[in-house]
């Protein structure tokens, strides 16, 4: 075969190797674009109808300011630096409460899931505390810890604790018992069972608990920042409500929604990365 023929053959083989990869990459990008476009239809329609009804004075501009007024209020808050300053404080509070409550919830969930005696000793008390609403316990937190950062972070941590506790417990108890028989055959000790079998098998439930805990942390942040706070997105909303600055209140709601969906998307990304081995129903 001539040199030219060899070059043509090599180019053809290279094209065949890369074609499936490029095609697969294109398909994934197309799926992501379609997913984003499909998810944007309803919000865009609502915003358009909302703007039209507001411009026509069919709905109250005080109670439901138009999307353009809300956007202008957000731009003003960004320009003055007020939004960024309060957002930093809120993010630190939410993450601090989530890390504290979530880590404790995971630790207690693992202990209760692994040991029946621990379950009998701790679970009834934990379930009783879980039923106490945030608003009911907030005055006690103020009385015990004052109106400083400790009370706010602990209130957020209380909410973040229970989803991870419950999901870690359920995930561990849901591990297939037949897998334990395999580990006995392989002569795994207790520690190796926990690290190599129990925790990986419970990881889907644990990550679900992380998603729920993050959401609850943002919800708890609103309650926490109404407890005599002088900074934060919740305080910004409360202050705006007192002076009838409804667009600012909607900006605060939008901030909570955006950061809530971003944190949830981050955990879902970790799920796809760490749980790619699972074969499950994806929906039609």
């Amino acid at each position: 075969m001539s040199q030219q023929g060899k070059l043509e053959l090599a180019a053809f083989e290279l094209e065949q190797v890369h074609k499936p990869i490029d095609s697969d990459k294109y398909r994934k990008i197309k799926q992501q674009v379609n997913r984003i476009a499909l998810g944007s239809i309803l919000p865009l329609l609502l915003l358009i109808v909302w703007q039209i009804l507001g411009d026509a004075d069919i709905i109250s501009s005080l109670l439901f300011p138009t999307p353009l007024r809300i956007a202008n209020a957000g731009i003003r808050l960004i320009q003055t630096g007020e939004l960024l300053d309060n957002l930093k404080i809120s993010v630190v509070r939410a993450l601090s409460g989530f890390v504290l409550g979530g880590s404790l919830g995971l630790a207690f969930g693992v202990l209760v899931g692994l040991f029946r005696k621990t379950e009998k000793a701790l679970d009834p008390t934990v379930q009783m505390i879980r039923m106490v609403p945030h608003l009911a316990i907030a005055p006690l937190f103020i009385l015990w810890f004052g109106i400083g950062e400790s009370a706010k972070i602990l209130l957020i941590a209380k909410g973040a604790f229970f989803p991870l506790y419950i999901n870690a417990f359920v995930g561990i108890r849901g591990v297939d018992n037949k897998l334990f028989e395999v580990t006995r055959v392989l002569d795994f000790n207790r520690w190796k069972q926990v690290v190599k079998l129990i925790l990986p098998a419970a990881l889907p439930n644990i990550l679900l608990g992380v998603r729920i805990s993050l959401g609850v942390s943002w919800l708890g942040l609103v309650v926490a920042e109404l407890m005599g706070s002088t900074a934060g997105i919740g305080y910004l909303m409360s202050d705006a409500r007192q002076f009838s600055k409804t667009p600012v209140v909607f900006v605060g709601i939008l901030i909570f929604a955006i950061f809530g969906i971003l944190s949830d998307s981050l955990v879902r990304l970790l799920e796809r990365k760490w749980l790619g081995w699972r074969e499950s129903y994806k929906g039609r």
Side-chain angles (χ1 to χ4, degrees), residues 19 23 39 71 80 92 102 110 124 133 140 144 164 174 191 219 221 235 243:
K19 187 180 290 184
S23 176
T80 60
V92 170
V110 171
L140 282 176
W144 293 338
L164 260 167
W191 171 252
L219 294 175
L221 179 66
Y235 163 75
F243 294 99

Side-chain angles (χ1 to χ4, degrees), residues 86 90 93 221-222 225-226 229 231-240 252 256:
N86 285 285
S90 290
R93 284 172 180 162
L221 179 66
V222 179
E225 291 187 338
L226 294 177
S229 182
I233 298 298
Y235 163 75
L236 193 68
M237 294 170 63
S238 178
D239 187 63
F256 280 121

Side-chain angles (χ1 to χ4, degrees), residues 9-264:
L9 180 61
F12 176 77
E13 290 175 349
L14 186 63
E15 181 182 354
Q16 295 301 313
V17 168
H18 284 284
K19 187 180 290 184
I21 298 175
D22 294 339
S23 176
D24 187 54
K25 187 182 295 184
Y26 172 75
R27 187 174 67 253
K28 288 182 179 179
I29 294 173
K30 186 178 179 181
Q31 287 175 349
Q32 290 177 352
V33 171
N34 290 338
R35 189 183 302 116
I36 293 171
L38 190 62
S40 302
I41 292 174
L42 183 59
L44 287 175
L45 284 176
L46 289 175
L47 289 174
I48 292 170
V49 172
W50 186 354
Q51 184 68 42
I52 292 172
L53 293 176
D55 290 339
D57 290 328
I58 296 175
I59 58 176
S60 170
S61 60
L62 178 62
L63 299 178
F64 296 98
T66 61
L68 287 179
R69 283 187 61 198
I70 296 170
N72 289 332
I75 292 170
R76 284 196 301 270
L77 289 172
I78 293 172
Q79 290 173 342
T80 60
E82 192 176 358
L83 182 62
L84 185 59
D85 291 341
N86 285 285
L87 181 59
K88 288 178 181 177
I89 294 169
S90 290
V91 169
V92 170
R93 284 172 180 162
L95 290 181
S96 300
F98 166 73
V99 170
L100 176 61
S103 57
L104 287 174
L106 178 60
F108 277 80
V110 171
L111 284 174
V112 170
L114 290 176
F115 306 106
R116 291 195 175 275
K117 288 183 178 179
T118 311
E119 178 189 359
K120 293 176 181 177
L122 294 179
D123 191 62
T125 304
V126 171
Q127 296 300 335
M128 182 178 64
I129 297 173
R130 184 171 70 92
M131 297 302 172
V132 180
H134 270 42
L135 290 174
I137 205 170
L140 282 176
F141 273 56
I142 295 174
L143 182 64
W144 293 338
F145 307 106
I147 59 173
E149 291 300 303
S150 298
K152 297 175 181 61
I153 291 173
L154 288 173
L155 190 65
I156 296 169
K158 173 191 173 293
F161 175 91
F162 298 105
L164 260 167
Y165 169 82
I166 292 171
N167 280 280
F169 169 72
V170 171
I172 290 172
R173 290 298 173 87
V175 177
D176 192 345
N177 200 44
K178 293 178 182 177
L179 296 176
F180 284 94
E181 297 176 5
V182 175
T183 60
R184 292 189 192 101
V185 172
L186 295 174
D187 201 24
F188 277 21
N189 57 31
R190 184 61 174 171
W191 171 252
K192 219 170 183 181
Q193 279 185 339
V194 172
V195 174
K196 298 288 187 179
L197 169 63
I198 297 175
L199 290 181
L203 189 59
N205 290 82
I206 292 172
L207 288 175
L208 175 61
V210 171
R211 289 178 62 185
I212 300 172
S213 286
L214 275 170
V216 173
S217 296
W218 285 107
L219 294 175
L221 179 66
V222 179
V223 178
E225 291 187 338
L226 294 177
M227 294 168 33
S229 182
T230 57
I233 298 298
Y235 163 75
L236 193 68
M237 294 170 63
S238 178
D239 187 63
R241 179 182 57 81
Q242 292 180 7
F243 294 99
S244 299
K245 298 179 181 178
T246 316
V248 177
V249 176
F250 275 91
V251 171
I253 294 171
L254 187 62
I255 291 295
F256 280 121
I258 290 172
F259 273 80
I261 193 66
L262 284 176
S263 58
D264 186 74

